[in-house]
Amino acid sequence: MSKSTFSNVVRHATVFGPLGAVGGFVSDVLQPLAPFSKYVFFLSLLAVIALVLANIIWRTFRRQLMPPLIAAVAFLVFSGGLMLLQTDDTQENGVLASYIPAIESLQSSLGVIQKDIAEIKQSTRETAENTARIAETTQTIARSNEKIVDTLEAMQKGFANLSKSGGVIENAKRPEEHYHNARIYEMRGDYLNARRAYNAYFGFKLNFLDPHLRYQTFLKVQEGRAGTREIYASLYEADKRPLMEFARIITFDAPQRTEMLKSFASAHADFAPAFYELSREYSAARKGVQSLGDKREELKALEAFLKLNSEGKFLKYFVDKELAAKWIEDANTRAKALAMLKQSSDAAPVSFTAMRSNAGWTITFQIREVPREVFYRLGTEGEFQSLGLGEYTNPATGLKMPNMFFSLKANTPRSTIQVKYIDIGNETRGPYDLEFDPNAELVKVQKKTLGLTKNNWISFRDYDGKTLVYFTHLLTARCALRKIAYGVNSDATPKIFEMPACNPKDPYSVRDSKIYIEVPGDSRFVTVRLTYADGSKSEPERFER
């Protein structure tokens, strides 16, 4: 080798040598993901062979081929050296991480050590499969350590004391110590150690729910719902306690979760948390817009939960009393908001009002919730007819409001109107039977009209030297009246106005009827009192001239 060639090699080696060292370092750090050292070694070996051949064939390009050749040799040397140093113990995490703890920490912070996560998943499953063995180990610890927590109450007190101290407990042995550590690691964002601490705690098979709720919260972030469900399926396979069954159920999505909760609550009537969770399934927080049926189911579950809590069957499932108190407060708040449902539970969910005009009847439905669509039919046979949708959009649901009214002919006889509707949850409600009596409805609507228009019952008019009192307004609602009594310049009503009989076919007409009386010219006021068709009487109403 000539002196100039040698100096050229040295010059390039000083540049590409460190680059090869960096490449070897990076490939070793990434070793847990894949055998990158091996990949770099063989790629650089192929590159060296190709470049050496190119130097032999194209001598005129040796100067240009020298830099990539030196770089390839550098990568070959460092990656090959790391491969030679690898053993069974260092193969998985890399040579450097096995001897330098800082490198392992770097791998963890970069998310490279996926193997640890897999180990923890496997650890969770192994914990579930070996629960009996862990329980036996726990008993051994209890016999050897007089301070071991042997009651749920002591566990709760122990955790309350530990939560005030803060910091990770080294060489944790008791369940509350493992749970305390899990929460500390979780707050620090050290999820790998948090998982390990949770798994150690679960080995004690305690009947507390909130550790599972917290564990599931960050499992869903790390593994997603499907991964969380898979882990809890494994736990439940080895531990069939109701608590574990409930913890598994709440990892599912609605509506499957709702049906599973209903079955669980039916089978475990004393398990208070199930009824609280079931109430949430029907709540506005999860439903968005509740149907009347949703509200009733929510209230039913809340009442069951609050009853069990008053019997002392709730707090025993919680280590963290603050979280339990929030559940109770939330349940009380929602139950109070739904209390009106209980007071009106006997009221029909569907009613109607009927308005009569000379043209016929207009029937308008009142439904105690917001429906998607309403259907009706006359009688109990035949097809239901949809009332259709209006143009107005309900801002709460984003859906078009359904029409709530339809028309009937004036001569429609007494009949049954059946109505059903689709609620906001797409469930069909009904049919409900509503009795339509045209005569009773006519009396009802005219009596209501008279009650709302008291100021218009009569009117004074001076005409052709006479003083007249007109009863026209009362006569247009005479089907609701049995008698019109009046008095002139007196609060008493001794006189009776003779009114024509009601004509249901033409109820508002006053044709060919006496509609006024003549009173003395010095009359100052007239008092009127009505007797309605149902026998009730109005208060005397005084009308000044």
Side-chain angles (χ1 to χ4, degrees):
M1 179 185 298
S2 66
K3 186 175 181 181
S4 61
T5 302
F6 177 77
S7 60
N8 193 30
V9 169
V10 172
R11 182 167 56 85
H12 288 301
T14 56
V15 175
F16 293 109
L19 182 62
V22 171
F25 172 81
V26 171
S27 65
D28 189 70
V29 169
L30 297 178
Q31 185 69 19
L33 297 178
F36 282 104
S37 294
K38 187 180 295 184
Y39 298 159
V40 172
F41 174 78
F42 285 109
L43 285 174
S44 55
L45 177 62
L46 290 174
V48 168
I49 294 172
L51 289 168
V52 168
L53 291 175
N55 267 278
I56 296 172
I57 297 172
W58 295 294
R59 294 184 178 182
T60 56
F61 294 102
R62 283 182 178 178
R63 180 176 292 274
Q64 290 85 350
L65 292 173
M66 184 61 67
L69 176 60
I70 298 299
V73 170
F75 278 102
L76 179 68
V77 170
F78 284 103
S79 60
L82 289 171
M83 279 183 59
L84 291 175
L85 293 173
Q86 283 182 359
T87 64
D88 292 339
D89 295 332
T90 63
Q91 188 171 4
E92 292 186 356
N93 287 349
V95 175
L96 299 176
S98 300
Y99 295 102
I100 306 174
I103 303 298
E104 186 177 10
S105 299
L106 176 64
Q107 290 175 325
S108 178
S109 65
L110 294 174
V112 171
I113 307 181
Q114 300 296 327
K115 181 176 178 294
D116 280 356
I117 296 175
E119 285 178 349
I120 291 173
K121 291 181 186 176
Q122 182 63 27
S123 173
T124 301
R125 297 187 179 92
E126 289 174 355
T127 299
E129 294 167 358
N130 298 298
T131 304
R133 178 178 58 79
I134 295 172
E136 183 179 351
T137 303
T138 303
Q139 293 172 2
T140 303
I141 295 173
R143 288 192 296 268
S144 63
N145 189 347
E146 294 179 355
K147 295 181 180 180
I148 191 70
V149 176
D150 56 2
T151 66
L152 299 182
E153 291 81 2
M155 164 72 178
Q156 291 169 328
K157 292 177 182 178
F159 174 75
N161 292 331
L162 286 173
S163 62
K164 297 176 183 177
S165 63
V168 174
I169 298 172
E170 298 295 335
N171 302 317
K173 294 181 179 179
R174 299 197 297 258
E176 73 268 29
E177 293 175 340
H178 288 296
Y179 183 43
H180 170 81
N181 284 352
R183 294 186 61 171
I184 296 298
Y185 284 129
E186 184 184 344
M187 286 188 290
R188 292 178 178 177
D190 188 351
Y191 294 126
L192 298 181
N193 280 320
R195 286 191 182 196
R196 292 190 180 103
Y198 272 116
N199 289 336
Y201 164 78
F202 292 146
F204 289 87
K205 293 182 66 175
L206 297 176
N207 236 25
F208 289 118
L209 176 61
D210 45 325
H212 289 281
L213 299 178
R214 295 187 66 92
Y215 187 48
Q216 287 181 7
T217 297
F218 83 77
L219 270 184
K220 289 171 186 175
V221 175
Q222 297 288 307
E223 305 292 337
R225 278 192 170 274
T228 303
R229 194 156 47 242
E230 179 184 346
I231 289 172
Y232 267 82
S234 299
L235 288 170
Y236 177 64
E237 281 300 313
D239 185 356
K240 300 286 187 177
R241 286 178 299 144
L243 180 90
M244 295 305 300
E245 182 181 359
F246 176 75
R248 180 182 70 92
I249 287 173
I250 60 177
T251 64
F252 286 82
D253 296 317
Q256 183 180 5
R257 180 181 61 225
T258 308
E259 294 304 315
M260 294 173 74
L261 280 171
K262 287 165 66 176
S263 298
F264 179 87
S266 177
H268 304 281
D270 287 342
F271 194 86
F275 291 94
Y276 176 80
E277 191 65 26
L278 187 59
S279 75
R280 295 181 65 207
E281 292 294 290
Y282 297 102
S283 67
R286 288 191 179 174
K287 287 286 187 177
V289 178
Q290 291 175 285
S291 68
L292 183 62
D294 292 332
K295 292 179 180 179
R296 285 176 173 166
E297 291 296 328
E298 181 185 8
L299 180 59
K300 179 181 174 182
L302 285 171
E303 289 178 336
F305 167 73
L306 292 171
K307 180 176 182 294
L308 290 171
N309 176 56
S310 67
E311 295 171 356
K313 297 177 180 178
F314 171 62
L315 290 176
K316 64 182 182 179
Y317 293 108
F318 279 76
V319 179
D320 187 348
K321 295 302 184 184
E322 279 189 36
L323 178 59
K326 288 179 181 178
W327 280 34
I328 296 170
E329 182 182 2
D330 175 61
N332 278 314
T333 300
R334 287 191 284 134
K336 288 178 182 177
L338 295 168
M340 291 298 294
L341 282 178
K342 197 170 184 180
Q343 297 176 14
S344 59
S345 58
D346 295 332
V350 180
S351 59
F352 74 94
T353 57
M355 292 296 295
R356 174 66 194 275
S357 68
N358 290 329
W361 290 96
T362 299
I363 308 297
T364 303
F365 293 120
Q366 286 85 42
I367 300 177
R368 294 177 60 201
E369 61 178 313
V370 179
R372 285 176 175 264
E373 192 170 3
V374 183
F375 305 83
Y376 83 99
R377 70 183 176 190
L378 286 181
T380 57
E381 297 180 357
E383 296 293 326
F384 279 90
Q385 299 180 53
S386 172
L387 294 181
L389 302 178
E391 293 302 318
Y392 174 72
T393 299
N394 188 328
T397 65
L399 302 173
K400 287 189 174 181
M401 291 288 289
N403 293 324
M404 304 290 282
F405 61 89
F406 69 101
S407 299
L408 291 175
K409 294 180 179 179
N411 61 354
T412 300
R414 181 170 183 167
S415 54
T416 298
I417 301 174
Q418 284 198 326
V419 58
K420 66 179 182 178
Y421 65 92
I422 299 174
D423 68 16
I424 202 67
N426 269 330
E427 294 189 27
T428 299
R429 305 289 179 180
Y432 303 98
D433 291 348
L434 305 174
E435 294 302 321
F436 172 68
D437 182 344
N439 293 330
E441 292 300 328
L442 181 59
V443 170
K444 185 190 300 182
V445 68
Q446 288 193 348
K447 181 180 179 180
K448 183 177 181 180
T449 300
L450 290 174
L452 295 173
T453 57
K454 291 180 179 181
N455 293 335
N456 300 323
W457 281 0
I458 67 167
S459 61
F460 286 88
R461 182 185 182 191
D462 292 327
Y463 177 74
D464 196 19
K466 301 175 182 178
T467 301
L468 306 178
V469 175
Y470 282 82
F471 289 80
T472 311
H473 184 75
L474 291 174
L475 294 179
T476 59
R478 64 185 178 275
C479 292
L481 298 175
R482 183 182 294 177
K483 184 171 63 176
I484 302 174
Y486 70 96
V488 180
N489 293 332
S490 171
D491 289 331
T493 55
K495 298 181 180 181
I496 303 298
F497 179 80
E498 297 295 333
M499 63 180 182
C502 170
N503 178 10
K505 293 183 180 179
D506 195 7
Y508 297 105
S509 175
V510 294
R511 292 189 302 270
D512 303 324
S513 300
K514 180 183 177 182
I515 60 175
Y516 64 86
I517 60 172
E518 184 179 348
V519 296
D522 61 351
S523 298
R524 292 175 287 108
F525 67 90
V526 172
T527 302
V528 177
R529 188 174 191 182
L530 306 179
T531 300
Y532 293 106
D534 59 9
S536 62
K537 293 183 178 182
S538 72
E539 293 295 323
E541 296 292 335
R542 180 168 169 164
F543 298 89
E544 301 289 341
R545 181 178 177 182

